[in-house]
Amino acid sequence: MSTGFRIYDSRALLIGAVSLLGLSVSPPLVRPGLADSHKPRRYHVVLENLTDFQGFSFPVAATHSPAVHMFQHGAFASMQAAAVAQNGNPVPMFQLFSGAAGVTDVYASPFPVASLGNPKAFWHKGLPYFNGTGLVPTTADNNLSDIIEFDISAGRHDVFSILGMMMCTNDGLTGLDGVALPRGEGHPQVYDLFAYDAGVEVNDYFTPDIVDPCGLMAPYTLGGSNGVPQVSVTDGNVNSPPSGTVAALATHDPIGPLSGVIPDHSALPNAASYVPAGWGWSGAVGRVTIRRIEDEDDRN
């Protein structure tokens, strides 16, 4: 089970007519799930990465009112969603949802999720680690996994959202926006995850515009005898334009489907500077399974 980090607020709150940056809410209604229940319900979540090479960056998950959104298909990405999409940075989204009105519980994975093609990718010492406050260098080497598990609490009428970056894309996202939680212990909810284009960066798949750890998700040594281009380069992840900037948010497109077809640049003179075309995908990129956890109140 992944340890992760979460903040849970057990107070009954009112949702005011406000907009917390990228977190949209509706005018006054009682925060669901807390006024009509003795205690929050608990759920066990399993996230699986079904791709060959695409890692999921530090997924952020939350239970919340249906009026709250991490992202929405057809809407513009918030600064928090753009930070996830371009840099794999979970911190702004985690902070936004922590303790906000309409939010019951928040979770963030301390490490990215490896791909099915390389289920135990190696996360080197010094690469980013989410410590519950920010991204800091990890002090030891770690093996990732293509499956992570965590528990989360929710009110009676809450919904569930999760969001992460497709790590070998310019601004690709995957996640769920406000899906239903299971009603009972024996009725798990299973959801497929699909890829979305956040609309805040050109999809050139050029390695200087891709997060540096992208290449760690491959099932073989990059740049080896097989001739696969090296894409895990230390380039500072220079994005164009940088996520969260006025230029990015003023010119971007609404969130929409992201094609799994990565352009084939093999005939170009600088082909080694691009993400390999074979690192695409078709259909669902992941799966989330949510199960209700029986507690003492359920048995009595």
Side-chain angles (χ1 to χ4, degrees), residues 205-238:
Y205 291 97
F206 189 52
T207 56
D209 298 330
I210 304 294
V211 292
D212 293 339
C214 157
L216 299 176
M217 301 302 164
Y220 38 69
T221 301
L222 294 174
S225 59
N226 57 8
V228 175
Q230 169 63 266
V231 299
S232 182
V233 294
T234 303
D235 53 45
N237 184 30
V238 179

Side-chain angles (χ1 to χ4, degrees), residues 114-265:
S115 66
L116 182 63
N118 185 26
K120 294 188 180 297
F122 200 58
W123 197 247
H124 298 284
K125 176 181 177 180
L127 287 174
Y129 162 84
F130 181 59
N131 66 357
T133 302
L135 290 174
V136 298
T138 180
T139 57
D141 292 334
N142 293 270
N143 283 323
L144 304 184
S145 173
D146 61 319
I147 300 175
I148 65 168
E149 304 180 41
F150 58 91
D151 293 345
I152 198 165
S153 298
R156 184 180 295 273
H157 300 297
D158 277 354
V159 293
F160 174 85
S161 295
I162 191 168
L163 189 64
M165 179 191 187
M166 303 280 290
M167 290 175 64
C168 290
T169 67
N170 293 88
D171 62 340
L173 293 169
T174 188
L176 297 170
D177 171 34
V179 299
L181 290 160
R183 290 183 175 273
E185 182 193 1
H187 301 85
Q189 293 277 20
V190 181
Y191 296 99
D192 285 339
L193 301 181
F194 294 92
Y196 300 96
D197 186 341
V200 293
E201 187 176 329
V202 176
N203 297 324
D204 59 10
Y205 291 97
F206 189 52
T207 56
D209 298 330
I210 304 294
V211 292
D212 293 339
C214 157
L216 299 176
M217 301 302 164
Y220 38 69
T221 301
L222 294 174
S225 59
N226 57 8
V228 175
Q230 169 63 266
V231 299
S232 182
V233 294
T234 303
D235 53 45
N237 184 30
V238 179
N239 290 302
S240 52
S243 63
T245 64
V246 173
L249 295 176
T251 61
H252 72 347
D253 298 317
I255 296 173
L258 179 63
S259 171
V261 178
I262 294 178
D264 185 359
H265 298 291

